[in-house]
Amino acid sequence: MSVIDKKDAFTSPIKKTAMRIFWGNLRKEDRDGTDNDKIKFLKKFPFFQSLNKRQLTEVSHLVYERQYQENETLFTFGQPGAALFFIQSGEVSVEITSEDGEVHQLAQLSKYSFVGELALLDESPRSATARAITPSVVFAFFKSDLDKLLETDPLIAAQVYKSLATIVGARLKATNELIEKKQKAAA
C-alpha cells in the first residue's frame, strides 16, 4: 500500500464514522452532565481550585454523595474523623454539648460550605457534632481515599494537602484573634 493509499484509508467515510463512534463513546460521560455538575461543584472549594479538569475528574470519582434527613448526624463529637464533607444543598449545624447537657451551635453551614477538614489529616476524635438541620445533600471525601490518591497521583494529593494547610492555618489564626479579643474585653 502506497503512502497515498494509507492516507486515503484514514480519511475514508467508513474510517471517519468509526472514529466518531469511538470518540463519541469515550466522551459520552462528558455529555451526560452529571459528572460535569459534580466537577463544577467541587471546583468551588479551595481544596480543588488549583486542579485541572483531568485531576478534578479523578477526584470526583473519590467523592461520594450522601443524603441526610432533618436531624440526622453527619458525624458525632468524639467519633474518629474519617471524612471531609462538602454541602451541596440544605443546612448543617456544627454543635458542641456542654457538661450540663446544653447544645451550643458553633456554626450553621449551607451550600458551598465544608466541615470536618481535620479528618483528612488524621483520625483524631471529632471536636464537634455536625447535624443536618434540613434535608441535605453532601459529598464526602474520605481520608482513606486521599491516602490512596497520595500513592496513585501524588501531585493531586499534594495540592489538596497544600490547600488544607492554608485553610487550617487561616482558621487557627482567626481562632487566636477571637481568643485575644475576648481576653482584652474581659480585662
Side-chain angles (χ1 to χ4, degrees):
M1 188 182 262
S2 72
V3 174
I4 295 173
D5 292 337
K6 286 180 185 177
K7 183 179 178 187
D8 289 341
F10 285 106
T11 58
S12 74
I14 294 171
K15 180 70 173 176
K16 287 180 182 178
T17 301
M19 294 302 284
R20 271 196 300 273
I21 291 170
F22 175 76
W23 289 108
N25 285 337
L26 285 180
R27 286 183 252 166
K28 186 175 183 189
E29 186 176 356
D30 290 341
R31 290 193 308 259
D32 180 283
T34 306
D35 286 337
N36 279 335
D37 290 346
K38 189 176 186 182
I39 290 167
K40 286 178 186 175
F41 175 73
L42 292 174
K43 186 74 172 171
K44 302 270 186 199
F45 296 93
F47 301 94
F48 310 120
Q49 289 175 346
S50 64
L51 302 180
N52 63 38
K53 186 164 181 164
R54 181 202 61 79
Q55 293 169 322
L56 272 169
T57 299
E58 188 169 337
V59 168
S60 74
H61 297 301
L62 302 174
V63 177
Y64 305 94
E65 182 178 321
R66 306 280 306 265
Q67 295 184 19
Y68 292 89
Q69 298 306 312
E70 183 178 341
N71 290 319
E72 190 175 356
T73 59
L74 284 70
F75 56 81
T76 306
F77 173 84
Q79 179 182 53
L84 161 64
F85 295 90
F86 302 100
I87 302 168
Q88 184 181 40
S89 65
E91 293 184 349
V92 173
S93 177
V94 179
E95 306 164 339
I96 58 170
T97 304
S98 62
E99 289 181 13
D100 63 2
E102 188 175 341
V103 176
H104 301 275
Q105 186 180 65
L106 302 176
Q108 185 170 328
L109 307 173
S110 57
K111 187 173 186 172
Y112 300 124
S113 298
F114 58 90
V115 63
E117 64 276 5
L118 292 179
L120 294 182
L121 295 175
D122 63 21
E123 295 173 0
S124 60
R126 297 285 190 176
S127 59
T129 295
R131 178 181 58 84
I133 300 172
T134 64
S136 301
V137 176
V138 302
F139 288 94
F141 185 38
F142 289 88
K143 179 186 183 323
S144 59
D145 289 324
L146 181 57
D147 291 344
K148 289 176 193 169
L149 190 60
L150 188 57
E151 294 174 16
T152 60
D153 198 328
L155 183 59
I156 295 174
Q159 291 296 332
V160 172
Y161 279 122
K162 181 179 177 184
S163 297
L164 179 61
T166 302
I167 291 163
V168 170
R171 288 190 175 181
L172 180 60
K173 183 178 177 183
T175 301
N176 288 343
E177 290 172 358
L178 181 63
I179 291 169
E180 187 177 306
K181 284 180 186 178
K182 285 187 176 192
Q183 286 175 340
K184 286 181 181 178

